[in-house]
Amino acid sequence: MKADLHCHSNVSDGLLAPAEVASRAADRGVELWSLTDHDEVAGLAEARAVAEERGLRFLDGSEISVSWRDDASFHVVGLGIDPASPQLVAGLQAIRDGRAGRAHRIAVELDKAGIHGAYEGAARYAEKASIISRAHFARFLVERKISPDVKSVFDRYLAKGKPGYVPHEWATLEDALRWIVDAGGVAVLAHPLRYRVGRDELRTFLGEFKDRGGRGIEVACGAHTPEEVQECARLARHFGLQASVASDFHGPGENRVEFGQLPALPEGLVPVWHDWPEAARAGASGLASAGCA
Ligand code: AMP
Ligand code: MN
Ligand code: MN
Ligand code: MN
C-alpha cells in the first residue's frame, strides 16, 4: 500500500491549496494519505473532501512545533486526530499566535543583517496561510536574490546560529502529546535525523517521547538518505516505535521527493497504520504487509 502521512498545503508553508495537494497525492498513486500542516488544522476539511472523492483513505493530521529542554526543537506529527478537539484547537492557536511575534523578531534580525522589508516580504508569501514560517522568509530572500535557493537561505540566514535566527518557545512535548492523544490521534516524530541535536540527545528525547505516549517515528522519509532511513529503522526497533512514511511535500520544486516515490519501509517494522480501523478497510493487501512503497 502506498502511504504518505506528512505534507503541507498553503494553509501553512506549502505552495498548493489543500484540494490541489489532495489531487496530486491521488494522481501519484497514494492510497493512505494525511495532510499535516504546521500547527494548523484549517485545510483538513477541503483535503478530506477531495481525498474521499478520489478514493484515498484520509487521516486528519497536523505537524506540531515543540520545544524541548534548553533550546532544542522537534516536530511531532499527530495523525487521526479529531480536528475539533477543543484542547488541540486552543493549543494550536496559541502556537500560531506565538509565530506572529517571532516573525517580527526574525525581520528585525534580518534588517540588522542588511535585508530590509523582510516581514512584509514574507507575509506576501503567507497570504493564504494562517501561520508565518521561516519557509515564507526563505522564499522572499530567494526572490530578492540574496541566496539562489531555499536551502542555501537556511544555511546562510535562517538556521540556528545564523543572522536571521531567533530562539522561540514552542509547545512543550508534554502538551503536544496530550493534545494529540486526547484528540484520538497517534503521535509520530517527524524527520528524526533533521534536528540540531546529537545522537545521544536524540535517543534521550525518543525515550521521553515514548514514555509520554508517542507511538511512531518517521522512517521512510523524504528528508532522509537511504542510510538515514536504515538508521531510523534501527531507532524504531530499539524504542519499540511504529514506522511512518512521510514525503514532507511542500510544493513542486521545493522537495527532493514527490508523492508516491518514497522508499519501502525496511523489513520487520510495524507500520503506524497497523491498528487503524480506517486503514484496515484497505483490505488484506493493506495490512498483511508492512511494506509500502
Ligand atoms: P518554522 O516552523 O517557521 O521554524 O519553519 C520550518 C520550515 O522551514 C520547515 O517546515 C521547512 O518548510 C523549512 N525548512 C527548514 N529548514 C530547511 C532547510 N534546511 N531547507 C529548506 N527548508 C527548510
Ligand atoms: Mn514547512
Ligand atoms: Mn518538520
Ligand atoms: Mn513538515
PDB file of all heavy atoms in Angstrom, residues 207-246:
ATOM      1  N   GLY A 207      13.310   8.366  24.164  1.00  0.00           N
ATOM      2  CA  GLY A 207      12.883   7.662  25.378  1.00  0.00           C
ATOM      3  C   GLY A 207      11.749   8.415  26.059  1.00  0.00           C
ATOM      4  O   GLY A 207      10.723   7.834  26.450  1.00  0.00           O
ATOM      5  N   GLU A 208      11.921   9.726  26.156  1.00  0.00           N
ATOM      6  CA  GLU A 208      10.893  10.549  26.805  1.00  0.00           C
ATOM      7  C   GLU A 208       9.615  10.586  25.964  1.00  0.00           C
ATOM      8  O   GLU A 208       8.497  10.512  26.492  1.00  0.00           O
ATOM      9  CB  GLU A 208      11.448  11.961  27.001  1.00  0.00           C
ATOM     10  CG  GLU A 208      10.672  12.745  28.030  1.00  0.00           C
ATOM     11  CD  GLU A 208      11.276  14.133  28.244  1.00  0.00           C
ATOM     12  OE1 GLU A 208      12.516  14.259  28.344  1.00  0.00           O
ATOM     13  OE2 GLU A 208      10.480  15.097  28.306  1.00  0.00           O
ATOM     14  N   PHE A 209       9.787  10.702  24.658  1.00  0.00           N
ATOM     15  CA  PHE A 209       8.659  10.729  23.714  1.00  0.00           C
ATOM     16  C   PHE A 209       7.812   9.461  23.889  1.00  0.00           C
ATOM     17  O   PHE A 209       6.585   9.521  24.024  1.00  0.00           O
ATOM     18  CB  PHE A 209       9.242  10.818  22.296  1.00  0.00           C
ATOM     19  CG  PHE A 209       8.244  10.756  21.170  1.00  0.00           C
ATOM     20  CD1 PHE A 209       7.451  11.851  20.860  1.00  0.00           C
ATOM     21  CD2 PHE A 209       8.137   9.614  20.380  1.00  0.00           C
ATOM     22  CE1 PHE A 209       6.548  11.804  19.799  1.00  0.00           C
ATOM     23  CE2 PHE A 209       7.247   9.555  19.323  1.00  0.00           C
ATOM     24  CZ  PHE A 209       6.450  10.654  19.033  1.00  0.00           C
ATOM     25  N   LYS A 210       8.493   8.330  23.939  1.00  0.00           N
ATOM     26  CA  LYS A 210       7.778   7.048  24.078  1.00  0.00           C
ATOM     27  C   LYS A 210       7.087   6.965  25.446  1.00  0.00           C
ATOM     28  O   LYS A 210       5.917   6.596  25.552  1.00  0.00           O
ATOM     29  CB  LYS A 210       8.781   5.908  23.878  1.00  0.00           C
ATOM     30  CG  LYS A 210       8.257   4.518  24.178  1.00  0.00           C
ATOM     31  CD  LYS A 210       7.695   3.852  22.942  1.00  0.00           C
ATOM     32  CE  LYS A 210       6.792   2.703  23.296  1.00  0.00           C
ATOM     33  NZ  LYS A 210       7.276   1.397  22.973  1.00  0.00           N
ATOM     34  N   ASP A 211       7.826   7.337  26.493  1.00  0.00           N
ATOM     35  CA  ASP A 211       7.257   7.265  27.854  1.00  0.00           C
ATOM     36  C   ASP A 211       6.017   8.136  27.995  1.00  0.00           C
ATOM     37  O   ASP A 211       5.110   7.824  28.750  1.00  0.00           O
ATOM     38  CB  ASP A 211       8.284   7.734  28.893  1.00  0.00           C
ATOM     39  CG  ASP A 211       9.389   6.708  29.075  1.00  0.00           C
ATOM     40  OD1 ASP A 211       9.228   5.574  28.586  1.00  0.00           O
ATOM     41  OD2 ASP A 211      10.418   7.055  29.687  1.00  0.00           O
ATOM     42  N   ARG A 212       5.989   9.249  27.291  1.00  0.00           N
ATOM     43  CA  ARG A 212       4.870  10.188  27.423  1.00  0.00           C
ATOM     44  C   ARG A 212       3.737   9.896  26.443  1.00  0.00           C
ATOM     45  O   ARG A 212       2.822  10.693  26.303  1.00  0.00           O
ATOM     46  CB  ARG A 212       5.348  11.621  27.207  1.00  0.00           C
ATOM     47  CG  ARG A 212       6.220  12.164  28.334  1.00  0.00           C
ATOM     48  CD  ARG A 212       6.489  13.638  28.079  1.00  0.00           C
ATOM     49  NE  ARG A 212       7.384  14.229  29.054  1.00  0.00           N
ATOM     50  CZ  ARG A 212       7.014  14.652  30.268  1.00  0.00           C
ATOM     51  NH1 ARG A 212       5.763  14.514  30.657  1.00  0.00           N
ATOM     52  NH2 ARG A 212       7.900  15.202  31.079  1.00  0.00           N
ATOM     53  N   GLY A 213       3.834   8.799  25.693  1.00  0.00           N
ATOM     54  CA  GLY A 213       2.702   8.429  24.836  1.00  0.00           C
ATOM     55  C   GLY A 213       2.944   8.527  23.346  1.00  0.00           C
ATOM     56  O   GLY A 213       2.026   8.291  22.565  1.00  0.00           O
ATOM     57  N   GLY A 214       4.167   8.888  22.922  1.00  0.00           N
ATOM     58  CA  GLY A 214       4.485   8.899  21.492  1.00  0.00           C
ATOM     59  C   GLY A 214       4.416   7.482  20.948  1.00  0.00           C
ATOM     60  O   GLY A 214       4.799   6.526  21.619  1.00  0.00           O
ATOM     61  N   ARG A 215       3.889   7.312  19.738  1.00  0.00           N
ATOM     62  CA  ARG A 215       3.662   5.957  19.210  1.00  0.00           C
ATOM     63  C   ARG A 215       4.567   5.614  18.026  1.00  0.00           C
ATOM     64  O   ARG A 215       4.893   4.456  17.805  1.00  0.00           O
ATOM     65  CB  ARG A 215       2.194   5.841  18.779  1.00  0.00           C
ATOM     66  CG  ARG A 215       1.792   4.585  18.043  1.00  0.00           C
ATOM     67  CD  ARG A 215       1.167   3.529  18.912  1.00  0.00           C
ATOM     68  NE  ARG A 215      -0.127   3.949  19.422  1.00  0.00           N
ATOM     69  CZ  ARG A 215      -1.292   3.759  18.766  1.00  0.00           C
ATOM     70  NH1 ARG A 215      -1.310   3.184  17.583  1.00  0.00           N
ATOM     71  NH2 ARG A 215      -2.429   4.145  19.316  1.00  0.00           N
ATOM     72  N   GLY A 216       4.960   6.627  17.242  1.00  0.00           N
ATOM     73  CA  GLY A 216       5.639   6.284  15.993  1.00  0.00           C
ATOM     74  C   GLY A 216       6.785   7.227  15.653  1.00  0.00           C
ATOM     75  O   GLY A 216       7.006   8.261  16.296  1.00  0.00           O
ATOM     76  N   ILE A 217       7.493   6.840  14.610  1.00  0.00           N
ATOM     77  CA  ILE A 217       8.637   7.617  14.151  1.00  0.00           C
ATOM     78  C   ILE A 217       8.667   7.516  12.625  1.00  0.00           C
ATOM     79  O   ILE A 217       8.374   6.441  12.061  1.00  0.00           O
ATOM     80  CB  ILE A 217       9.928   7.046  14.800  1.00  0.00           C
ATOM     81  CG1 ILE A 217      11.180   7.774  14.361  1.00  0.00           C
ATOM     82  CG2 ILE A 217      10.107   5.567  14.539  1.00  0.00           C
ATOM     83  CD1 ILE A 217      12.421   7.270  15.111  1.00  0.00           C
ATOM     84  N   GLU A 218       8.955   8.618  11.965  1.00  0.00           N
ATOM     85  CA  GLU A 218       9.058   8.550  10.505  1.00  0.00           C
ATOM     86  C   GLU A 218      10.327   7.799  10.117  1.00  0.00           C
ATOM     87  O   GLU A 218      11.416   8.108  10.618  1.00  0.00           O
ATOM     88  CB  GLU A 218       9.053   9.969   9.913  1.00  0.00           C
ATOM     89  CG  GLU A 218       7.680  10.624  10.049  1.00  0.00           C
ATOM     90  CD  GLU A 218       7.580  12.023   9.477  1.00  0.00           C
ATOM     91  OE1 GLU A 218       8.614  12.562   9.013  1.00  0.00           O
ATOM     92  OE2 GLU A 218       6.474  12.591   9.506  1.00  0.00           O
ATOM     93  N   VAL A 219      10.165   6.840   9.247  1.00  0.00           N
ATOM     94  CA  VAL A 219      11.303   6.014   8.825  1.00  0.00           C
ATOM     95  C   VAL A 219      11.568   6.224   7.328  1.00  0.00           C
ATOM     96  O   VAL A 219      12.649   6.630   6.934  1.00  0.00           O
ATOM     97  CB  VAL A 219      11.067   4.530   9.154  1.00  0.00           C
ATOM     98  CG1 VAL A 219      12.142   3.656   8.518  1.00  0.00           C
ATOM     99  CG2 VAL A 219      11.035   4.315  10.675  1.00  0.00           C
ATOM    100  N   ALA A 220      10.578   5.936   6.501  1.00  0.00           N
ATOM    101  CA  ALA A 220      10.712   6.200   5.069  1.00  0.00           C
ATOM    102  C   ALA A 220      10.323   7.663   4.875  1.00  0.00           C
ATOM    103  O   ALA A 220       9.157   8.020   4.850  1.00  0.00           O
ATOM    104  CB  ALA A 220       9.796   5.286   4.271  1.00  0.00           C
ATOM    105  N   CYS A 221      11.326   8.498   4.776  1.00  0.00           N
ATOM    106  CA  CYS A 221      11.104   9.930   4.963  1.00  0.00           C
ATOM    107  C   CYS A 221      11.818  10.697   3.865  1.00  0.00           C
ATOM    108  O   CYS A 221      12.995  10.452   3.590  1.00  0.00           O
ATOM    109  CB  CYS A 221      11.662  10.270   6.345  1.00  0.00           C
ATOM    110  SG  CYS A 221      11.628  11.967   6.771  1.00  0.00           S
ATOM    111  N   GLY A 222      11.097  11.618   3.228  1.00  0.00           N
ATOM    112  CA  GLY A 222      11.644  12.381   2.116  1.00  0.00           C
ATOM    113  C   GLY A 222      12.885  13.181   2.466  1.00  0.00           C
ATOM    114  O   GLY A 222      13.694  13.498   1.597  1.00  0.00           O
ATOM    115  N   ALA A 223      13.048  13.487   3.742  1.00  0.00           N
ATOM    116  CA  ALA A 223      14.178  14.313   4.168  1.00  0.00           C
ATOM    117  C   ALA A 223      15.440  13.490   4.416  1.00  0.00           C
ATOM    118  O   ALA A 223      16.483  14.049   4.747  1.00  0.00           O
ATOM    119  CB  ALA A 223      13.802  15.071   5.444  1.00  0.00           C
ATOM    120  N   HIS A 224      15.354  12.169   4.272  1.00  0.00           N
ATOM    121  CA  HIS A 224      16.458  11.307   4.679  1.00  0.00           C
ATOM    122  C   HIS A 224      17.116  10.572   3.521  1.00  0.00           C
ATOM    123  O   HIS A 224      16.463  10.198   2.550  1.00  0.00           O
ATOM    124  CB  HIS A 224      15.966  10.275   5.699  1.00  0.00           C
ATOM    125  CG  HIS A 224      15.630  10.893   7.028  1.00  0.00           C
ATOM    126  ND1 HIS A 224      14.856  10.268   7.949  1.00  0.00           N
ATOM    127  CD2 HIS A 224      15.988  12.063   7.573  1.00  0.00           C
ATOM    128  CE1 HIS A 224      14.726  11.037   9.011  1.00  0.00           C
ATOM    129  NE2 HIS A 224      15.408  12.137   8.799  1.00  0.00           N
ATOM    130  N   THR A 225      18.409  10.336   3.663  1.00  0.00           N
ATOM    131  CA  THR A 225      19.136   9.499   2.705  1.00  0.00           C
ATOM    132  C   THR A 225      18.796   8.028   2.976  1.00  0.00           C
ATOM    133  O   THR A 225      18.267   7.705   4.053  1.00  0.00           O
ATOM    134  CB  THR A 225      20.659   9.662   2.893  1.00  0.00           C
ATOM    135  OG1 THR A 225      20.993   9.164   4.203  1.00  0.00           O
ATOM    136  CG2 THR A 225      21.100  11.123   2.780  1.00  0.00           C
ATOM    137  N   PRO A 226      19.112   7.125   2.031  1.00  0.00           N
ATOM    138  CA  PRO A 226      18.857   5.692   2.275  1.00  0.00           C
ATOM    139  C   PRO A 226      19.532   5.189   3.556  1.00  0.00           C
ATOM    140  O   PRO A 226      18.945   4.389   4.294  1.00  0.00           O
ATOM    141  CB  PRO A 226      19.447   5.017   1.034  1.00  0.00           C
ATOM    142  CG  PRO A 226      19.341   6.059  -0.043  1.00  0.00           C
ATOM    143  CD  PRO A 226      19.572   7.376   0.642  1.00  0.00           C
ATOM    144  N   GLU A 227      20.718   5.667   3.860  1.00  0.00           N
ATOM    145  CA  GLU A 227      21.406   5.252   5.095  1.00  0.00           C
ATOM    146  C   GLU A 227      20.627   5.750   6.313  1.00  0.00           C
ATOM    147  O   GLU A 227      20.517   5.065   7.326  1.00  0.00           O
ATOM    148  CB  GLU A 227      22.840   5.809   5.150  1.00  0.00           C
ATOM    149  CG  GLU A 227      23.789   5.258   4.094  1.00  0.00           C
ATOM    150  CD  GLU A 227      23.495   5.789   2.683  1.00  0.00           C
ATOM    151  OE1 GLU A 227      23.026   6.941   2.555  1.00  0.00           O
ATOM    152  OE2 GLU A 227      23.701   5.021   1.719  1.00  0.00           O
ATOM    153  N   GLU A 228      20.131   6.973   6.206  1.00  0.00           N
ATOM    154  CA  GLU A 228      19.362   7.533   7.337  1.00  0.00           C
ATOM    155  C   GLU A 228      18.045   6.780   7.548  1.00  0.00           C
ATOM    156  O   GLU A 228      17.592   6.624   8.672  1.00  0.00           O
ATOM    157  CB  GLU A 228      19.120   9.026   7.108  1.00  0.00           C
ATOM    158  CG  GLU A 228      20.383   9.860   7.286  1.00  0.00           C
ATOM    159  CD  GLU A 228      20.192  11.338   6.936  1.00  0.00           C
ATOM    160  OE1 GLU A 228      19.366  11.653   6.055  1.00  0.00           O
ATOM    161  OE2 GLU A 228      20.889  12.174   7.523  1.00  0.00           O
ATOM    162  N   VAL A 229      17.445   6.316   6.451  1.00  0.00           N
ATOM    163  CA  VAL A 229      16.222   5.509   6.570  1.00  0.00           C
ATOM    164  C   VAL A 229      16.536   4.262   7.399  1.00  0.00           C
ATOM    165  O   VAL A 229      15.773   3.886   8.303  1.00  0.00           O
ATOM    166  CB  VAL A 229      15.668   5.127   5.176  1.00  0.00           C
ATOM    167  CG1 VAL A 229      14.548   4.096   5.300  1.00  0.00           C
ATOM    168  CG2 VAL A 229      15.167   6.380   4.443  1.00  0.00           C
ATOM    169  N   GLN A 230      17.682   3.637   7.117  1.00  0.00           N
ATOM    170  CA  GLN A 230      18.075   2.439   7.889  1.00  0.00           C
ATOM    171  C   GLN A 230      18.322   2.797   9.353  1.00  0.00           C
ATOM    172  O   GLN A 230      17.991   2.036  10.255  1.00  0.00           O
ATOM    173  CB  GLN A 230      19.338   1.792   7.279  1.00  0.00           C
ATOM    174  CG  GLN A 230      19.115   1.208   5.879  1.00  0.00           C
ATOM    175  CD  GLN A 230      17.982   0.175   5.840  1.00  0.00           C
ATOM    176  OE1 GLN A 230      17.771  -0.570   6.797  1.00  0.00           O
ATOM    177  NE2 GLN A 230      17.235   0.157   4.743  1.00  0.00           N
ATOM    178  N   GLU A 231      18.922   3.941   9.594  1.00  0.00           N
ATOM    179  CA  GLU A 231      19.172   4.362  10.980  1.00  0.00           C
ATOM    180  C   GLU A 231      17.851   4.598  11.722  1.00  0.00           C
ATOM    181  O   GLU A 231      17.697   4.222  12.887  1.00  0.00           O
ATOM    182  CB  GLU A 231      20.054   5.619  11.001  1.00  0.00           C
ATOM    183  CG  GLU A 231      20.442   5.987  12.417  1.00  0.00           C
ATOM    184  CD  GLU A 231      21.468   7.107  12.510  1.00  0.00           C
ATOM    185  OE1 GLU A 231      22.034   7.508  11.468  1.00  0.00           O
ATOM    186  OE2 GLU A 231      21.690   7.588  13.641  1.00  0.00           O
ATOM    187  N   CYS A 232      16.898   5.213  11.029  1.00  0.00           N
ATOM    188  CA  CYS A 232      15.575   5.422  11.644  1.00  0.00           C
ATOM    189  C   CYS A 232      14.902   4.083  11.934  1.00  0.00           C
ATOM    190  O   CYS A 232      14.207   3.933  12.945  1.00  0.00           O
ATOM    191  CB  CYS A 232      14.683   6.267  10.749  1.00  0.00           C
ATOM    192  SG  CYS A 232      15.208   7.976  10.655  1.00  0.00           S
ATOM    193  N   ALA A 233      15.101   3.117  11.043  1.00  0.00           N
ATOM    194  CA  ALA A 233      14.528   1.787  11.265  1.00  0.00           C
ATOM    195  C   ALA A 233      15.114   1.180  12.542  1.00  0.00           C
ATOM    196  O   ALA A 233      14.395   0.575  13.350  1.00  0.00           O
ATOM    197  CB  ALA A 233      14.796   0.888  10.064  1.00  0.00           C
ATOM    198  N   ARG A 234      16.420   1.365  12.737  1.00  0.00           N
ATOM    199  CA  ARG A 234      17.048   0.843  13.969  1.00  0.00           C
ATOM    200  C   ARG A 234      16.480   1.544  15.201  1.00  0.00           C
ATOM    201  O   ARG A 234      16.229   0.919  16.226  1.00  0.00           O
ATOM    202  CB  ARG A 234      18.581   1.015  13.896  1.00  0.00           C
ATOM    203  CG  ARG A 234      19.255   0.063  12.917  1.00  0.00           C
ATOM    204  CD  ARG A 234      20.765   0.033  13.103  1.00  0.00           C
ATOM    205  NE  ARG A 234      21.429   1.267  12.698  1.00  0.00           N
ATOM    206  CZ  ARG A 234      21.794   1.564  11.438  1.00  0.00           C
ATOM    207  NH1 ARG A 234      21.555   0.696  10.461  1.00  0.00           N
ATOM    208  NH2 ARG A 234      22.400   2.699  11.155  1.00  0.00           N
ATOM    209  N   LEU A 235      16.273   2.853  15.084  1.00  0.00           N
ATOM    210  CA  LEU A 235      15.694   3.596  16.220  1.00  0.00           C
ATOM    211  C   LEU A 235      14.280   3.094  16.516  1.00  0.00           C
ATOM    212  O   LEU A 235      13.897   2.917  17.673  1.00  0.00           O
ATOM    213  CB  LEU A 235      15.671   5.098  15.923  1.00  0.00           C
ATOM    214  CG  LEU A 235      17.030   5.806  15.926  1.00  0.00           C
ATOM    215  CD1 LEU A 235      16.901   7.228  15.377  1.00  0.00           C
ATOM    216  CD2 LEU A 235      17.643   5.842  17.334  1.00  0.00           C
ATOM    217  N   ALA A 236      13.500   2.850  15.456  1.00  0.00           N
ATOM    218  CA  ALA A 236      12.127   2.359  15.634  1.00  0.00           C
ATOM    219  C   ALA A 236      12.149   1.027  16.378  1.00  0.00           C
ATOM    220  O   ALA A 236      11.396   0.812  17.340  1.00  0.00           O
ATOM    221  CB  ALA A 236      11.437   2.210  14.280  1.00  0.00           C
ATOM    222  N   ARG A 237      13.023   0.130  15.942  1.00  0.00           N
ATOM    223  CA  ARG A 237      13.095  -1.194  16.591  1.00  0.00           C
ATOM    224  C   ARG A 237      13.548  -1.044  18.036  1.00  0.00           C
ATOM    225  O   ARG A 237      12.976  -1.635  18.949  1.00  0.00           O
ATOM    226  CB  ARG A 237      14.071  -2.099  15.839  1.00  0.00           C
ATOM    227  CG  ARG A 237      13.562  -2.522  14.471  1.00  0.00           C
ATOM    228  CD  ARG A 237      14.496  -3.558  13.828  1.00  0.00           C
ATOM    229  NE  ARG A 237      14.237  -3.625  12.397  1.00  0.00           N
ATOM    230  CZ  ARG A 237      15.015  -3.057  11.467  1.00  0.00           C
ATOM    231  NH1 ARG A 237      16.132  -2.424  11.810  1.00  0.00           N
ATOM    232  NH2 ARG A 237      14.683  -3.141  10.195  1.00  0.00           N
ATOM    233  N   HIS A 238      14.590  -0.243  18.251  1.00  0.00           N
ATOM    234  CA  HIS A 238      15.160  -0.095  19.591  1.00  0.00           C
ATOM    235  C   HIS A 238      14.137   0.455  20.583  1.00  0.00           C
ATOM    236  O   HIS A 238      14.041  -0.010  21.716  1.00  0.00           O
ATOM    237  CB  HIS A 238      16.383   0.817  19.533  1.00  0.00           C
ATOM    238  CG  HIS A 238      17.022   1.033  20.870  1.00  0.00           C
ATOM    239  ND1 HIS A 238      17.904   0.134  21.429  1.00  0.00           N
ATOM    240  CD2 HIS A 238      16.861   2.020  21.792  1.00  0.00           C
ATOM    241  CE1 HIS A 238      18.276   0.564  22.617  1.00  0.00           C
ATOM    242  NE2 HIS A 238      17.666   1.713  22.862  1.00  0.00           N
ATOM    243  N   PHE A 239      13.372   1.442  20.147  1.00  0.00           N
ATOM    244  CA  PHE A 239      12.427   2.095  21.067  1.00  0.00           C
ATOM    245  C   PHE A 239      11.022   1.499  21.000  1.00  0.00           C
ATOM    246  O   PHE A 239      10.121   1.966  21.688  1.00  0.00           O
ATOM    247  CB  PHE A 239      12.383   3.604  20.806  1.00  0.00           C
ATOM    248  CG  PHE A 239      13.622   4.315  21.280  1.00  0.00           C
ATOM    249  CD1 PHE A 239      14.677   4.573  20.416  1.00  0.00           C
ATOM    250  CD2 PHE A 239      13.752   4.688  22.617  1.00  0.00           C
ATOM    251  CE1 PHE A 239      15.832   5.203  20.862  1.00  0.00           C
ATOM    252  CE2 PHE A 239      14.905   5.323  23.070  1.00  0.00           C
ATOM    253  CZ  PHE A 239      15.950   5.582  22.194  1.00  0.00           C
ATOM    254  N   GLY A 240      10.834   0.482  20.165  1.00  0.00           N
ATOM    255  CA  GLY A 240       9.504  -0.117  20.044  1.00  0.00           C
ATOM    256  C   GLY A 240       8.492   0.866  19.481  1.00  0.00           C
ATOM    257  O   GLY A 240       7.342   0.930  19.927  1.00  0.00           O
ATOM    258  N   LEU A 241       8.918   1.637  18.490  1.00  0.00           N
ATOM    259  CA  LEU A 241       8.017   2.618  17.871  1.00  0.00           C
ATOM    260  C   LEU A 241       7.549   2.102  16.511  1.00  0.00           C
ATOM    261  O   LEU A 241       8.280   1.398  15.811  1.00  0.00           O
ATOM    262  CB  LEU A 241       8.746   3.956  17.691  1.00  0.00           C
ATOM    263  CG  LEU A 241       9.050   4.713  18.994  1.00  0.00           C
ATOM    264  CD1 LEU A 241      10.103   5.802  18.753  1.00  0.00           C
ATOM    265  CD2 LEU A 241       7.782   5.327  19.580  1.00  0.00           C
ATOM    266  N   GLN A 242       6.332   2.449  16.154  1.00  0.00           N
ATOM    267  CA  GLN A 242       5.814   2.095  14.835  1.00  0.00           C
ATOM    268  C   GLN A 242       6.433   3.026  13.784  1.00  0.00           C
ATOM    269  O   GLN A 242       6.913   4.103  14.109  1.00  0.00           O
ATOM    270  CB  GLN A 242       4.287   2.201  14.830  1.00  0.00           C
ATOM    271  CG  GLN A 242       3.658   1.193  15.789  1.00  0.00           C
ATOM    272  CD  GLN A 242       2.144   1.257  15.828  1.00  0.00           C
ATOM    273  OE1 GLN A 242       1.539   2.219  15.366  1.00  0.00           O
ATOM    274  NE2 GLN A 242       1.527   0.223  16.388  1.00  0.00           N
ATOM    275  N   ALA A 243       6.396   2.582  12.535  1.00  0.00           N
ATOM    276  CA  ALA A 243       7.099   3.308  11.470  1.00  0.00           C
ATOM    277  C   ALA A 243       6.127   4.048  10.573  1.00  0.00           C
ATOM    278  O   ALA A 243       5.093   3.511  10.174  1.00  0.00           O
ATOM    279  CB  ALA A 243       7.916   2.321  10.641  1.00  0.00           C
ATOM    280  N   SER A 244       6.480   5.279  10.218  1.00  0.00           N
ATOM    281  CA  SER A 244       5.639   6.053   9.309  1.00  0.00           C
ATOM    282  C   SER A 244       6.373   6.368   8.008  1.00  0.00           C
ATOM    283  O   SER A 244       7.594   6.215   7.900  1.00  0.00           O
ATOM    284  CB  SER A 244       5.154   7.339   9.987  1.00  0.00           C
ATOM    285  OG  SER A 244       4.130   7.929   9.205  1.00  0.00           O
ATOM    286  N   VAL A 245       5.589   6.814   7.050  1.00  0.00           N
ATOM    287  CA  VAL A 245       6.064   7.089   5.690  1.00  0.00           C
ATOM    288  C   VAL A 245       5.699   8.534   5.371  1.00  0.00           C
ATOM    289  O   VAL A 245       4.529   8.907   5.482  1.00  0.00           O
ATOM    290  CB  VAL A 245       5.383   6.123   4.697  1.00  0.00           C
ATOM    291  CG1 VAL A 245       5.837   6.386   3.281  1.00  0.00           C
ATOM    292  CG2 VAL A 245       5.671   4.674   5.092  1.00  0.00           C
ATOM    293  N   ALA A 246       6.658   9.342   4.982  1.00  0.00           N
ATOM    294  CA  ALA A 246       6.451  10.782   5.019  1.00  0.00           C
ATOM    295  C   ALA A 246       7.271  11.511   3.977  1.00  0.00           C
ATOM    296  O   ALA A 246       8.488  11.625   4.106  1.00  0.00           O
ATOM    297  CB  ALA A 246       6.848  11.284   6.412  1.00  0.00           C
TER     298      ALA A 246
END
